[in-house]
Amino acid sequence: MVFFWRFRLWILLSLLVLPSGEGFYLPGSYPHKYLAGDTLSVKVNSLTSIDTEIPYGYYSLPFCKPQEGIKDSAENLGELLMGDRIENSPYRFKMFSNESDILLCRTNPLSTQDFNLLKKRIDEMYQVNLILDNLPAIRYTKKGEYFLRWTGYPVGIRDGDTYYVFNHLRFKVLVHKYEETNVAKVMGTGDASDAIPSLDKSGSGPGWMVVGFEVVPCSFQHDSESIKNLKMYDKYPAKIQCDPTMVGMAIKENQPVVFTYEVSFVESDIKWPSRWDAYLKMEGAKVHWFSILNSLMVIAFLAGIVLVIFLRTVRRDLTRYEELDKEAQAQMNEELSGWKLVVGDVFRAPSHPQLLCVMVGDGVQILGMAVVTILFAALGFMSPASRGTLITGMLFFYMVLGIVAGYIAVRIWKTIRCGDHSGWVSVSWRVACFFPGIAFLILTVLNFLLWGSHSTGAIPVSLFIVLLLLWFCISVPLTLVGGFLGAKAPHIEYPVRTNQIPREIPPQKYPSWLLVLGAGTLPFGTLFIELFFIMSSIWMGRVYYVFGFLFIVLILLVVVCAEVSLVLTYMHLCVEDWKWWWKAFFSSGAVAIYIFLYSVNYLVFDLKSLSGPVSATLYLGYSLFMVIAIMLATGTIGFISSFWFVHYLFSSVKLD
């Protein structure tokens, strides 16, 4: 995996160039040298659409198939979970050999099923995704004075009642001379002055690297009868004029479709480490940077005010309380109300203590996974060039952090029971099964929908078995080991004794759940701008790459969640409400409610074209899965910070 490769000092500099959009070397991704005349093979990925969000296999449509048969490329766990199905294709190039009017194939006459399926995929705006040397095909369209960038090209287009298919592709491959100086500079293995350009032993000159892959789709009316006796890669008998503004190849039932292509090679000044810039420099980048920085400044300002006010209030109360002698304290307790009166109940065990420990344990596991994964991604170890490594890394870190989840959950359980660790096995087992069980249930329901749609996004049965094995053979044992360590660790001793008879909580002016729900607005303020870009990346097919900013937002979110939970816990204690455990958890975890509402808003206003109940159900199902994970992570932040605060607060008070 990418994240196992050697960590080098130069990778820290990538964080400095990341916000500027400059190209940087991707760890574990090395240039491939091609000599003139070497074969370049184009691969195909799943057909995708922002109209349905359901991927389908490329060869589910009547496209040309390679002569050697369809072969799957090696895919990692993350690619399979994302619905990627990378396969070989019949498109073949020769390095630095321009070719035109190349016949690919003449399909069989379209059957009724194939004809209707093609029309349906065109109506649903499906895109064909091609890959050359790990670079997705990029397409440029002009809108006014600007050029828009798209990955892939549409299957076809509809004009009235007539459907046209893009059956001729004009490729442009950008290449750069392969020189050892390039590799020396980016890898840091030597001085550039000592490097010698790599020349072919035959004297044919330096090799070449692919630094760009562009496609222009055209719809051209071919004469299917004139190529009956031609084979794949033969020259088409007539000159093909590719005009992307015109359409000509209308699909008809029981009529074949002829596919052709042309390719040209252009030497480019783009260096290999910068070849992904064309995909990352999407429109609206300046707005993105401004929005993120503006959000960070506003939230940091608000958090500072809350922190200052909060610290001053607590310090004043503690100072006044500690300056009194014992008789004055007793008199003050009789006359005054506030957090000082719940000293004998503040550490009373909460309702459903085992569930709280399980949710906190899973929250620690999810939060740790998010922090480590985003940190590695910010350092460039999980770049867009390495497909699937982000999901694979998340699964790996989640399983490994099971030992931390078990430890935290059991130690809190032991603390609540004042040192009694009996039942730690049950707690550990539930930690290992609670969130993964919810995820398994949601994904299974969604997978049945994808299976019914014959989508490549459906998780194969074999992969389901692999995930179950990873769960029960790695995650569960590690969680039990963590629970064992937590049972052996000393519990956290309470600074005050708990009364046998619980104190009655006075009636409140406002329901406590109202404050808890309202508390989620401030953490949501740190997320909503970044959330838009993340949602666009997932559902609109855009590339998300600003992990450096995301890491900053995550750290800020942790701080704000902690502060909000502290303030609400203090407010509840001041009104003599000693049942703070669950309120502390949900005061920061309530941000998940606003994220889910934002997801619904995004579905209604930004994904207007999303069609069909299956697509909407998939969207809402994945959104529900996401908000449950966020609720557990943010709720854990609030609970742990509040527990520390309450422990510190009552440890600072002089008591008999």
Side-chain angles (χ1 to χ4, degrees):
M1 296 181 186
V2 175
F3 41 79
F4 281 130
W5 278 322
R6 190 183 303 174
F7 187 88
R8 298 181 183 275
L9 180 62
W10 59 265
I11 195 58
L12 295 175
L13 300 177
S14 66
L15 285 175
L16 301 178
V17 300
L18 184 63
S20 64
E22 298 295 330
F24 60 94
Y25 191 75
L26 300 171
S29 186
Y30 299 95
H32 191 132
K33 173 184 174 182
Y34 297 96
L35 298 178
D38 283 356
T39 301
L40 299 175
S41 299
V42 177
K43 297 181 180 181
V44 292
N45 204 343
S46 301
L47 304 173
T48 55
S49 169
I50 61 173
D51 191 53
T52 65
E53 302 294 349
I54 302 176
Y56 289 100
Y58 175 81
Y59 294 107
S60 63
L61 293 181
F63 291 137
C64 301
K65 296 177 174 60
Q67 292 176 328
E68 66 274 17
I70 302 172
K71 299 177 181 178
D72 292 334
S73 296
E75 295 161 331
N76 57 45
L77 189 61
E79 286 179 293
L80 292 172
L81 290 174
M82 291 172 63
D84 288 345
R85 296 295 183 271
I86 301 177
E87 300 164 313
N88 61 332
S89 81
Y91 294 102
R92 301 281 174 83
F93 310 148
K94 291 185 178 180
M95 175 58 74
F96 243 117
S97 177
N98 296 340
E99 298 176 289
S100 61
D101 310 328
I102 302 299
L103 173 67
L104 203 60
C105 78
R106 174 181 182 267
T107 68
N108 296 324
L110 294 178
S111 64
T112 302
Q113 181 180 359
D114 287 339
F115 176 68
N116 292 331
L117 186 60
L118 259 177
K119 291 197 303 180
K120 183 180 180 182
R121 296 292 179 258
I122 293 173
D123 281 334
E124 293 172 338
M125 301 169 56
Y126 268 87
Q127 302 276 323
V128 178
N129 300 291
L130 305 180
I131 302 171
L132 177 65
D133 195 44
N134 203 33
L135 281 180
I138 195 168
R139 174 173 55 96
Y140 293 92
T141 58
K142 191 173 183 180
K143 186 176 182 180
E145 299 179 355
Y146 300 95
F147 282 95
L148 303 178
R149 303 177 183 90
W150 310 86
T151 53
Y153 67 91
V155 172
I157 191 172
R158 178 180 179 179
D159 185 12
D161 295 331
T162 307
Y163 292 83
Y164 298 89
V165 67
F166 290 115
N167 61 332
H168 179 81
L169 301 180
R170 186 172 69 202
F171 295 107
K172 182 166 74 172
V173 181
L174 305 180
V175 295
H176 188 81
K177 283 186 180 180
Y178 185 98
E179 297 177 350
E180 296 296 338
T181 51
N182 292 322
V183 181
K185 287 178 181 178
V186 297
M187 292 183 64
T189 55
D191 295 327
S193 59
D194 297 332
I196 301 174
S198 174
L199 298 176
D200 184 47
K201 293 181 180 179
S202 63
S204 60
W208 302 91
M209 300 176 294
V210 176
V211 295
F213 183 38
E214 301 175 8
V215 62
V216 177
C218 300
S219 181
F220 185 81
Q221 181 64 55
H222 293 295
D223 183 4
S224 60
E225 296 299 322
S226 65
I227 52 97
K228 273 187 175 181
N229 299 323
L230 297 181
K231 298 180 180 179
M232 185 177 286
Y233 307 124
D234 284 346
K235 193 83 170 178
Y236 188 76
K239 181 65 178 175
I240 300 175
Q241 299 293 336
C242 178
D243 185 357
T245 62
M246 303 293 292
V247 290
M249 187 61 208
I251 58 172
K252 297 178 182 179
E253 193 172 350
N254 299 320
Q255 293 292 324
V257 179
V258 178
F259 289 89
T260 56
Y261 71 94
E262 60 185 276
V263 59
S264 61
F265 289 82
V266 178
E267 187 173 356
S268 171
D269 294 331
I270 300 173
K271 295 186 181 296
W272 191 87
S274 303
R275 67 179 192 159
W276 274 86
D277 286 3
Y279 304 88
L280 304 183
K281 289 182 179 178
M282 295 297 175
E283 300 299 327
K286 291 183 179 180
V287 177
H288 178 86
W289 311 133
F290 176 78
S291 300
I292 293 295
L293 291 175
N294 180 67
S295 176
L296 290 174
M297 292 174 63
V298 171
I299 296 302
F301 177 72
L302 292 176
I305 292 178
V306 170
L307 188 61
V308 169
I309 294 175
F310 175 70
L311 289 178
R312 288 186 61 185
T313 302
V314 174
R315 283 184 177 179
R316 185 177 65 246
D317 276 1
L318 281 176
T319 302
R320 289 178 55 198
Y321 195 73
E322 291 180 354
E323 286 177 351
L324 301 175
D325 56 23
K326 293 181 180 180
E327 294 182 1
Q329 285 182 21
Q331 182 179 0
M332 181 179 177
N333 287 342
E334 294 177 0
E335 297 176 354
L336 301 179
S337 62
W339 58 268
K340 298 168 285 295
L341 297 181
V342 297
V343 65
D345 299 275
V346 70
F347 290 108
R348 190 176 300 280
S351 58
H352 310 291
Q354 193 175 72
L355 178 60
L356 178 63
C357 296
V358 168
M359 294 177 71
V360 171
D362 279 329
V364 168
Q365 192 173 4
I366 295 168
L367 181 64
M369 174 202 69
V371 171
V372 177
T373 303
I374 294 174
L375 178 61
F376 270 74
L379 294 175
F381 285 89
M382 298 176 183
S383 66
S386 304
R387 290 180 184 83
T389 54
L390 187 66
I391 302 296
T392 305
M394 291 173 67
L395 284 173
F396 174 79
F397 291 129
Y398 181 83
M399 289 187 298
V400 170
L401 289 170
I403 191 170
V404 180
Y407 176 84
I408 296 295
V410 171
R411 193 164 184 204
I412 294 175
W413 170 254
K414 188 176 180 180
T415 298
I416 292 176
R417 295 172 62 87
C418 300
D420 181 11
H421 65 267
S422 60
W424 70 268
V425 175
S426 175
V427 173
S428 302
W429 175 256
R430 295 187 183 191
V431 169
C433 296
F434 181 73
F435 179 71
I438 294 175
F440 185 80
L441 178 62
I442 294 175
L443 294 179
T444 301
V445 173
L446 298 181
N447 215 51
F448 276 116
L449 295 177
L450 292 171
W451 272 335
S453 302
H454 305 286
S455 168
T456 59
I459 301 175
V461 176
S462 58
L463 184 57
F464 249 112
I465 296 174
V466 170
L467 292 175
L468 287 174
L469 289 176
L470 290 174
W471 180 8
F472 286 104
C473 296
I474 298 179
S475 182
V476 171
L478 285 176
T479 307
L480 290 173
V481 169
F484 174 78
L485 296 176
K488 294 298 181 182
H491 71 285
I492 303 172
E493 295 186 2
Y494 295 146
V496 294
R497 294 190 301 270
T498 301
N499 296 334
Q500 292 184 353
I501 302 176
R503 180 185 181 87
E504 183 180 357
I505 300 175
Q508 310 296 325
K509 294 182 179 179
Y510 305 101
S512 58
W513 60 264
L514 194 60
L515 289 175
V516 170
L517 287 178
T521 55
L522 191 57
F524 179 73
T526 68
L527 274 181
F528 79 97
I529 294 178
E530 197 67 27
L531 194 61
F532 170 79
F533 290 97
I534 296 174
M535 299 284 279
S536 298
S537 171
I538 296 174
W539 302 108
M540 302 292 285
R542 299 172 185 171
V543 179
Y544 186 87
Y545 62 100
V546 285
F547 291 103
F549 281 110
L550 182 60
F551 185 74
I552 296 174
V553 170
L554 178 61
I555 297 302
L556 191 59
L557 175 67
V558 171
V559 174
V560 172
C561 284
E563 291 176 344
V564 167
S565 182
L566 292 184
V567 171
L568 254 73
T569 300
Y570 182 71
M571 291 174 62
H572 284 115
L573 294 178
C574 284
V575 294
E576 303 176 36
D577 185 357
W578 46 266
K579 295 182 178 181
W580 58 271
W581 302 75
W582 282 107
K583 295 183 179 70
F585 185 93
F586 285 112
S587 59
S588 53
V591 66
I593 298 175
Y594 297 96
I595 293 176
F596 188 76
L597 293 177
Y598 179 85
S599 301
V600 175
N601 174 80
Y602 190 86
L603 172 64
V604 174
F605 295 101
D606 292 275
L607 294 178
K608 297 178 182 178
S609 60
L610 198 65
S611 61
V614 174
S615 299
T617 304
L618 287 171
Y619 174 85
L620 293 175
Y622 287 125
S623 298
L624 179 63
F625 171 72
M626 177 182 69
V627 299
I628 290 175
I630 292 174
M631 184 267 292
L632 291 173
T634 54
T636 296
I637 297 168
F639 172 79
I640 292 178
S641 60
S642 291
F643 183 87
W644 169 84
F645 162 70
V646 173
H647 191 279
Y648 171 78
L649 180 64
F650 286 91
S651 298
S652 306
V653 177
K654 294 179 181 178
L655 298 170
D656 289 335

